[in-house]
Amino acid sequence: MRHDDTTAPGLGAPSSRPLGRPGRPPAGGLPRVDGGTGRRAAGRHPVALFELASANDSTGEPHAAAPLYRQALQAGLTGYRRRRAVIQLASTLRNLGRAGRSVALLSAEREADPASLDEATAGLGDAVDAFLALALADSGREREAVALALNALSRHLPRYNRSLAGYAQALRDDPGH
């Protein structure tokens, strides 16, 4: 069974409450999930697994987060949360020293047919590119990373869009320079 944001009984929209800075819990902290009770409570519900993974990631527990992201994806997470899970898993893997795996995940995500994505999910395309650029840089592919980041940025500038996109293409075309 596939679940997305609208078919998750008892799991409302994601909280807009800030979770604090990466690696640190918010003021007042998050309740700790000890002894695997949170994982048992999440069961095989993909949204619950994703939210638990996100909470672990946000509180500096990437080793606990990575398998939960994988489980959420394998359990059928869809839509906006699925794309977020891919981005967050790839970022976590990069932070754990597995940049090559991060590149593979995000490169596959870039290949998603835009026509198959809703507007919110498609709106995360530049986030996919940004995190892919980080993973590429960590993999020794700095020129490709800069080109990707510049191309994503060029779509948001009030001026110089075409010039910047052209320079990004030149970086991709001449990776040995």
Side-chain angles (χ1 to χ4, degrees):
M1 176 177 219
R2 297 181 66 80
H3 299 275
D4 63 17
D5 296 355
T6 60
T7 61
L11 296 171
S15 172
S16 61
R17 184 175 66 89
L19 288 177
R21 294 194 317 228
R24 289 194 203 158
L30 287 175
R32 297 262 331 155
V33 178
D34 296 320
T37 56
R39 188 175 299 187
R40 283 194 298 275
R44 294 287 302 155
H45 196 287
V47 175
L49 290 164
F50 167 71
E51 295 296 342
L52 186 58
S54 297
N56 275 285
D57 226 356
S58 295
T59 57
E61 300 292 334
H63 290 284
L68 292 167
Y69 286 131
R70 284 189 200 97
Q71 289 173 28
L73 291 164
Q74 290 168 353
L77 194 65
T78 63
Y80 186 74
R81 279 194 176 111
R82 188 204 63 77
R83 183 162 260 197
R84 285 180 55 209
V86 170
I87 292 167
Q88 291 170 213
L89 172 59
S91 177
T92 296
L93 292 173
R94 184 187 71 82
N95 288 328
L96 292 173
R98 298 187 58 208
R101 183 66 184 127
S102 180
V103 168
L105 280 170
L106 293 167
S107 295
E109 189 64 25
R110 285 188 88 226
E111 299 302 316
D113 177 11
S116 70
L117 305 174
D118 62 63
E119 186 176 344
T121 304
L124 291 173
D126 287 340
V128 170
D129 287 349
F131 284 94
L132 178 54
L134 288 169
L136 288 167
D138 282 2
S139 298
R141 297 163 61 184
E142 293 87 356
R143 287 179 66 85
E144 191 177 347
V146 170
L148 186 63
L150 289 176
N151 193 58
L153 178 62
S154 74
R155 294 188 288 267
H156 302 282
L157 297 176
R159 297 190 49 95
Y160 314 111
N161 312 73
R162 197 172 80 206
S163 297
L164 194 56
Y167 292 134
Q169 185 63 47
L171 282 170
R172 281 190 300 275
D173 291 345
D174 187 15
H177 182 80

